[in-house]
Amino acid sequence: MADLDVDQWRNAQHLLLRSAKGARRIVCLLEKGEVVKCRHTHGADVADTPSRVDDLQAAADALYAANREQVDQTLGLQWKLGASHDEVVAAAEALVTPDSSVVLAVHDAGALWTSLILRFDEDRKVISIGTADPSLVDIHGDRAEVTQRLVTFANGREGQVKLVVSCTKEAAERFLEAQDKAAVVAELGDDFSVERIG
């Protein structure tokens, strides 16, 4: 994870992640590969803390192996997407361009409520997660204009934005809860847009 805005990340967690309260986890935050923070959620000592990470999966595996007794069984963030792992992988295969970035912009009350900038490698695995920085991106105003400013910011930061999902907060919540994602997207119309770029 890199360049996370506190408010944007909190809102993204509320929308997309299962609560980690009470879960035993090691949280490792990175800035361009350099480890900024590596802590256990319950204050336990973390063995073999890396100072730099070039291979995210290898680093996660090594941290888990060195701290097996201190963490729960599942590695990584626990997404609440209303879809199975296989369905998420199939969607990524269908929608995400290898070695590209995806922008998620969720709007509420005339402003960007949360955002995610996901960078994918050539195998379509997420290698970076970020958010809009309100000190660099004007997050207030018309949804289309705010989304375009976010895409411009993401292109400058991560590059190669190829997919943009822009929606209202209510539409995002309905989409995540729905069993039939395609049907709910059709119902939501302009409140939930998915655009491929390039």
Side-chain angles (χ1 to χ4, degrees):
M1 297 180 189
D3 304 325
L4 296 177
D5 174 71
V6 173
D7 293 331
Q8 295 265 326
W9 182 242
R10 181 191 64 241
N11 291 342
Q13 285 181 310
H14 173 76
L15 182 67
L16 295 168
L17 296 177
R18 296 191 194 288
S19 175
K21 289 180 181 175
R24 294 176 301 136
R25 302 265 191 268
I26 293 173
V27 177
C28 190
L29 300 179
L30 308 175
E31 176 79 33
K32 297 181 180 170
E34 298 297 320
V35 175
V36 177
K37 178 179 181 181
C38 190
R39 302 271 191 283
H40 190 282
T41 55
H42 290 165
D45 291 334
V46 178
D48 297 338
T49 301
S51 59
R52 176 164 184 81
V53 172
D54 294 311
D55 183 332
L56 292 173
Q57 189 61 55
D61 291 342
L63 268 174
Y64 180 75
N67 298 276
R68 188 177 306 274
E69 301 302 316
Q70 301 294 337
V71 296
D72 288 338
Q73 297 300 313
T74 307
L75 287 124
L77 298 173
Q78 304 307 303
W79 300 95
K80 58 176 184 182
L81 301 177
S84 70
H85 177 266
D86 290 344
E87 289 169 332
V88 172
V89 169
E93 289 288 328
L95 295 172
V96 175
T97 303
D99 190 28
S100 72
S101 296
V102 172
V103 167
L104 169 66
V106 180
H107 306 262
D108 189 45
L112 188 64
W113 181 73
T114 193
S115 64
L116 284 177
I117 302 166
L118 304 173
R119 180 72 181 154
F120 290 81
D121 68 10
E122 51 281 341
D123 297 320
R124 295 184 179 95
K125 291 183 181 174
V126 175
I127 58 172
S128 175
I129 301 173
T131 64
D133 180 344
S135 70
L136 301 173
V137 180
D138 182 1
I139 64 170
H140 297 91
D142 175 76
R143 193 174 114 201
E145 292 174 6
V146 171
T147 300
Q148 184 53 54
R149 289 193 293 265
L150 177 58
V151 169
T152 300
F153 171 75
N155 269 324
R157 194 184 128 226
E158 293 287 348
Q160 298 292 321
V161 173
K162 296 293 183 182
L163 183 69
V164 179
V165 178
S166 176
C167 57
T168 65
K169 180 176 175 262
E170 181 181 345
E173 290 167 345
R174 282 192 57 203
F175 174 81
L176 291 170
E177 293 168 2
Q179 293 284 334
D180 186 342
K181 305 292 189 197
V184 81
V185 167
E187 287 174 22
L188 292 170
D190 290 340
D191 285 346
F192 193 100
S193 68
V194 179
E195 178 187 4
R196 290 184 188 195
I197 299 175

